[in-house]
């Protein structure tokens, strides 16, 4: 989408102009957390869970990894539910905007297996399992509200081998309740032409 490219370009120029500010005081994101939640898809709801991790190097390059599982809880009108198992990897560069705020620009790749599970009753149509993959740009902003509470917002556009392009957006809050342990709540949305889905999730993580 053109507007996402404009956001990435503007953010990159802004980050480059200010990345030197308080660079020595900036914290590094190095964490892993597990999460579980539910999808608010208006067609067929699903259970969602997975593991996500990030490692930001001292030179401000970061790597991101996600393993995600989604299982529809019913078969809908055709008694056929979708189970998906996906792995995503990404990387990019962090721009230190302020001592409490950072901007990350990067690129991600996702690989997914989608399985059709018959839930009982009369099966309508002919279904087959699929293997799809997609890739695209990402932008993420992280802000420390307090020393223990941080907020983040991410946009990720993925164009898939199935000729579908998803716009993923996510907002999250993480709270440190111990020196290395934190709790997290997040809200995600996926949008494309003729389809939209929302998901909330709760998680527990470890900083290292």
């Amino acid at each position: 989408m053109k507007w996402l490219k404009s956001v990435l370009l503007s953010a990159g120029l802004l980050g480059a102009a200010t990345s030197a500010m308080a660079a020595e005081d900036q914290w590094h994101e190095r964490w892993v957390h597990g999460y579980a939640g539910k999808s608010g898809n208006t067609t067929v709801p699903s259970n969602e869970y997975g593991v996500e991790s990030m490692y930001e190097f001292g030179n401000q390059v970061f790597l991101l990894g996600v393993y995600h599982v989604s299982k529809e809880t019913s078969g809908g009108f055709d008694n056929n539910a979708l189970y998906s198992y996906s792995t995503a990897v990404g990387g990019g560069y962090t721009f230190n905007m302020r001592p409490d705020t950072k901007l990350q620009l990067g690129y991600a790749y996702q690989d997914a297996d989608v399985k059709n599970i018959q839930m009982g009753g009369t099966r309508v149509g002919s279904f087959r399992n699929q293997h799809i993959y997609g890739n695209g740009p990402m932008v993420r902003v992280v802000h420390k509200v307090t020393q223990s509470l941080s907020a983040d917002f991410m946009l990720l556009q993925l164009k898939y081998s199935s000729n579908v392009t998803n716009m993923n957006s996510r907002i999250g809050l993480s709270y440190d309740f111990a020196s290395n342990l934190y709790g997290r709540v997040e809200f995600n949305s996926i949008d494309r032409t003729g389809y939209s889905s929302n998901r909330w999730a709760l998680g527990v993580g470890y900083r290292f």
Side-chain angles (χ1 to χ4, degrees):
M1 296 182 180
K2 292 183 178 180
W3 70 268
L4 177 59
K5 293 180 180 178
S6 298
V7 169
L8 291 173
L9 178 60
S10 300
L13 292 174
L14 178 61
T18 60
S19 61
M21 295 177 57
E24 296 181 355
D25 298 326
Q26 195 75 27
W27 80 99
H28 294 295
E29 285 202 276
R30 297 167 181 170
W31 47 257
V32 58
H33 66 247
Y35 60 87
K38 289 186 175 292
S39 169
N41 189 327
T42 55
T43 305
V44 181
S46 61
N47 294 323
E48 315 271 334
Y49 51 93
V51 178
E52 181 174 355
S53 64
M54 176 175 287
Y55 191 92
E56 185 183 353
F57 296 90
N59 60 0
Q60 296 172 251
V61 171
F62 72 89
L63 296 177
L64 175 70
V66 183
Y67 178 72
H68 182 77
V69 177
S70 174
K71 294 184 176 182
E72 291 183 343
T73 55
S74 70
F77 75 93
D78 56 10
N79 297 299
N80 191 70
L82 297 180
Y83 285 13
S84 69
Y85 308 84
S86 64
T87 302
V89 293
Y93 189 80
T94 299
F95 297 94
N96 295 330
M97 311 297 289
R98 298 181 1 173
D100 59 0
T101 308
K102 61 174 60 179
L103 168 73
Q104 294 178 321
L105 300 180
Y107 204 83
Y109 171 85
Q110 184 184 51
D111 190 284
D113 287 310
V114 181
K115 300 184 181 299
N116 293 270
I117 308 298
Q118 186 174 359
M119 304 296 285
T122 303
R123 192 171 189 180
V124 179
S126 176
F127 301 94
R128 62 184 178 85
N129 298 335
Q130 296 185 68
H131 174 247
I132 60 175
Y133 57 89
N135 56 81
M138 61 172 286
V139 56
R140 181 171 178 265
V141 177
V142 189
H143 176 69
K144 278 196 171 185
V145 182
T146 68
Q147 192 62 29
S148 300
L149 179 66
S150 61
D152 59 271
F153 176 74
M154 184 175 72
L155 287 175
L156 170 62
Q157 178 181 285
L158 291 173
K159 184 174 183 179
Y160 290 95
S161 53
S162 57
N163 293 321
V164 168
T165 299
N166 283 350
M167 174 55 68
N168 301 265
S169 59
R170 182 180 76 185
I171 185 168
L173 289 173
S174 298
Y175 182 79
D176 298 339
F177 54 83
S179 58
N180 295 102
L181 298 177
Y182 65 93
R184 179 171 171 82
V185 58
E186 62 182 39
F187 180 81
N188 303 57
S189 68
I190 299 175
D191 295 284
R192 65 174 180 263
T193 303
Y195 174 88
S196 66
S197 178
N198 298 316
R199 185 188 86 220
W200 63 265
L202 299 174
V204 177
Y206 178 79
R207 301 189 192 278
F208 50 91

